[in-house]
């Protein structure tokens, strides 16, 4: 057992923190919430220069070929800085291609992802489904005259407008919630019949509704085998959930720093409020939530790279961290009080993102359901 | 980063599992778990554990141990916990007192006590709490007067569990009565024979049927050789030992059998033509407990890992204590809700589900957030030591 980062992981983390301190101030984050694209080319180019988008991409396509442990360690820094932009959707899109794409797709797109030229996203959720349910795939894809014709819609697609390529999930056979019959397609964002409608979100991130009206894609747009996309999608969603857990851990760490500093400085009744037991107990709860979240996230990520991975740990992590981070920001607001409720205060960045991250890739309720299933209930 | 065990550790775990499955009966497990109190069966099991080589893994060879990393002793605690064992039968000596003797005791004291502790032969009980010194332990008033070759001790201790079967009292008493010796400064630690003249033990029965005790000292003569380490340093030794004690006493794995019992119950019990496990509320409660248990395990592992590498422990063992004890309460509360009206039935009653174990655990669980320090004191410690918030 060893809870320490390796020297390489520590270096990665340190350089991410330095870069984000220079290029991603909270003023910049607030600005990007108002910006239509939500990030800048300079920021993206800087991230590419550090090799971030190649984190999970194999070396033969120009990436670093690291694993999920490194991804969550990086994500902690991104969450701490509230990094805007399409890092995670691009990483997941690239992972899909690296895992299941054909050689031409890999050759064309993966090096462009690494260099920062290609932005990707993943479209899998749909309108008309009242809860988070990735098996709900009503959009269809059928073969016609040698081409794939996609019809339907996708919802909650991050950074679709900034993307060059969209990984689209559609059903090629089976009925609504069947695992069998789900397929993944690689579509250019500019494909005819593919239209975007921006959503306005709690965290000011850039999510879209994607409608598909007779979108024609060439036969080689299929990623992996027709109808066999579910295991791949499931793996992408677990990766996304872990990365979100990492982000939440980083955000929680920063929120606790802000809160503990404030509790030491703010004087009421002639004493720093951090001397009062009520405040100390809130802070202790925050520290327990933070550290437990960090350990379960890292353990789950580590487990997925082992010979016998334990996917239940991923669901456990997403369930636990989603709720823990929400508790942390709630207590941070309670201690920061009116001051932290003002829009210029950084706390408001974290509390809104906490909700967005909780909802991304399934909230606690969804993941408790996953755990119950894996317990055999 | 590595959250797994080495091949050697896994091999040890498997050998141990075979041994425990054969020798750890329900009777012994429950004597272990305090609800029955250690009797001859648990003592024999303790000696057997040692004889088969499963005790003393992490202890120095010169005192009868094997000189291995502490990981092995934690594996022992985990495997006992999974089988309702809770801890080694004579656990106060083995998991608490022995470590302080090793760190602070004289060579003669180590030679006298450690081999017997490692051999599973003797037990201690803690003598800390007093009627007016609970959470504020440094307010203790038990007097130990220095008479040169011995100390003369008088006063009262309370809630001293295990004293009715332990061989020795691990006693904290005040040895400095000057204005400089107030609070934590004037306290010393002693080892006192439980059968020493002037020591009286009286039972206090808890609501879960466990016995704890009041202990009265009436001019008890304790030889100077039984002073642990230096005079007036006792409170410091107690605090120094606290982290490791928390790591060894708050073992998440002991909640596994409770969870497994409830999982099986939910699958086997039917209502309205379907198992309870198909009820969304029941599913959520059990899944939540399972998640919390995974989380508590990795939190405890972190704290143990710090201890094993002798890295500084500040708030981490306290975090383990607070989280494991509060999880225990939530888990048995969930259990009681799932059992519905049957939850109130005691062991031995007609219709009692799961042998009445959840009913007993429910009553027991009131103690876990109090014993060894309340959750509230724990949170103060976490905020002060973990975040540097000012002391009160």
């Amino acid at each position: 057992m060893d809870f320490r980062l390796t020297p390489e992981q520590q270096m990665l983390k340190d350089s991410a923190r330095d870069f984000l301190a220079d290029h991603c101030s909270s003023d910049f984050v607030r600005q990007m919430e108002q910006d239509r694209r939500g990030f800048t080319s300079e920021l993206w180019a800087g991230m590419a220069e550090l090799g971030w988008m190649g984190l999970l991409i194999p070396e033969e396509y120009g990436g670093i070929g690291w694993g999920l442990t490194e991804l969550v360690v990086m994500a902690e820094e991104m969450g701490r800085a509230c990094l805007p932009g399409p890092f995670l959707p691009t990483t997941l899109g690239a992972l899909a291609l690296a895992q299941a794409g054909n050689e031409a797709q890999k050759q064309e797109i993966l090096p462009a992802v690494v260099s920062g030229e290609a932005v990707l996203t993943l479209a899998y959720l749909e309108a008309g489904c009242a809860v988070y349910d990735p098996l709900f795939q009503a959009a269809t894809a059928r073969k016609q005259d040698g081409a794939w014709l996609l019809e339907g819609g996708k919802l909650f697609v991050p950074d679709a407008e900034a993307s060059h390529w969209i990984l689209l999930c559609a059903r090629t056979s089976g009925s609504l919630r069947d695992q069998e019959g789900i397929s993944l397609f690689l579509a250019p964002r500019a494909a005819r019949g593919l239209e975007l409608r921006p959503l306005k979100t709690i965290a000011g991130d850039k999510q879209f509704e994607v409608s598909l009206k007779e979108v024609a894609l060439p036969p080689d747009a299929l990623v992996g085998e027709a109808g066999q996309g579910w295991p791949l999608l499931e793996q992408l969603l677990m990766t996304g959930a872990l990365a979100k857990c990492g982000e939440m851990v980083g955000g929680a760490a920063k929120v606790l720093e802000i809160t503990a500093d404030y509790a030491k400085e703010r004087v009421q009744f002639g004493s720093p409020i951090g001397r009062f037991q009520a405040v100390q107990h809130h802070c202790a709860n925050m520290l327990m939530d933070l550290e437990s979240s960090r350990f379960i996230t890292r353990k789950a990520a580590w487990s997925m790279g082992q010979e016998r991975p334990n996917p239940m740990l991923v669901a456990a992590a997403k369930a636990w961290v989603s709720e823990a981070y929400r508790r942390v920001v709630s207590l941070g607001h309670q201690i920061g009080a009116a001051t932290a409720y003002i829009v210029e205060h950084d706390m408001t960045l974290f509390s809104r993102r906490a909700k967005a991250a909780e909802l991304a890739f399934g909230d606690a309720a969804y993941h408790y359901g996953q755990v119950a299933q894996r317990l055999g209930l | 980063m590595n959250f797994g065990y080495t091949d050697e550790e896994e091999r040890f775990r498997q050998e141990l599992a075979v041994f425990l499955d054969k020798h750890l009966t329900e009777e012994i497990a429950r004597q272990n778990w305090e609800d029955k109190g250690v009797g001859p069966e648990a003592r024999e099991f303790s000696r057997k554990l040692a004889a088969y080589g499963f005790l003393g893994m992490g202890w120095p060879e010169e005192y009868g141990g094997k000189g291995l990393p502490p990981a092995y002793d934690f594996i022992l605690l985990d495997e006992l916990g999974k089988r309702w064992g809770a801890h080694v039968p004579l656990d106060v000596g083995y998991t608490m007192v022995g470590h302080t003797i090793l760190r602070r005791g004289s060579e003669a004291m180590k030679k006298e006590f450690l081999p017997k502790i490692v051999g599973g032969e003797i037990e201690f009980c803690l003598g800390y709490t007093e009627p007016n010194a609970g959470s504020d332990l440094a307010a203790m008033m038990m007097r130990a007067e220095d008479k040169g070759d011995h100390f003369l001790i008088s006063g009262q201790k309370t809630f001293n569990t295990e004293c009715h079967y332990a061989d020795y009292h691990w006693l904290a008493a005040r040895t400095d009565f000057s204005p400089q010796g107030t609070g934590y400064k004037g306290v010393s630690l002693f080892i006192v024979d439980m059968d020493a003249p002037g020591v009286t033990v009286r039972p206090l029965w808890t609501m879960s049927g466990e016995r704890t005790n009041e202990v009265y000292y009436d001019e008890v003569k304790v030889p100077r050789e039984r002073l642990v380490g230096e005079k007036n340093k006792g409170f410091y030794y107690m605090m120094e030992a606290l982290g490791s004690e928390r790591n060894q006493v708050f073992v998440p794995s002991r909640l596994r059998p409770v969870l497994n019992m409830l999982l099986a119950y939910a699958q086997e019990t039917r209502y309205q033509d379907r198992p309870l496990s198909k009820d969304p509320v029941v599913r959520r409660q059990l899944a939540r407990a399972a998640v919390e248990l995974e989380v508590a395990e990795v939190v405890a592992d972190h704290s143990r890992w710090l201890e094993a590498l002798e890295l500084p422990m500040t708030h981490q063992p306290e975090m383990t204590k607070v989280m494991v004890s509060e999880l225990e309460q939530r888990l048995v509360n969930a259990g009681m809700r799932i059992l519905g009206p049957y939850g109130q039935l005691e062991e031995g009653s007609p219709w009692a589900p799961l042998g009445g174990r959840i009913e007993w655990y429910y009553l027991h669980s009131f103690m876990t957030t109090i014993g060894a320090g309340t959750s509230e004191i724990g949170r103060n410690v976490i905020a002060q030591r973990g975040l540097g918030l000012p002391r009160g």
Side-chain angles (χ1 to χ4, degrees), chain B residues 19 34 40-41 43 89 98 153 179 206 217 224 243 247 269 306 352 364:
Chain B
F19 170 85
E34 293 170 18
E41 294 85 355
R43 286 207 180 246
I153 306 183
T206 68
Y217 275 58
R224 186 161 206 99
N247 284 347
T269 309
L306 289 175
H364 175 83

Side-chain angles (χ1 to χ4, degrees), chain A residues 55-66:
Chain A
L55 198 72
L56 298 184
I57 294 179
E59 286 174 89
E60 50 181 313
Y61 301 106
I64 313 179
W66 280 3

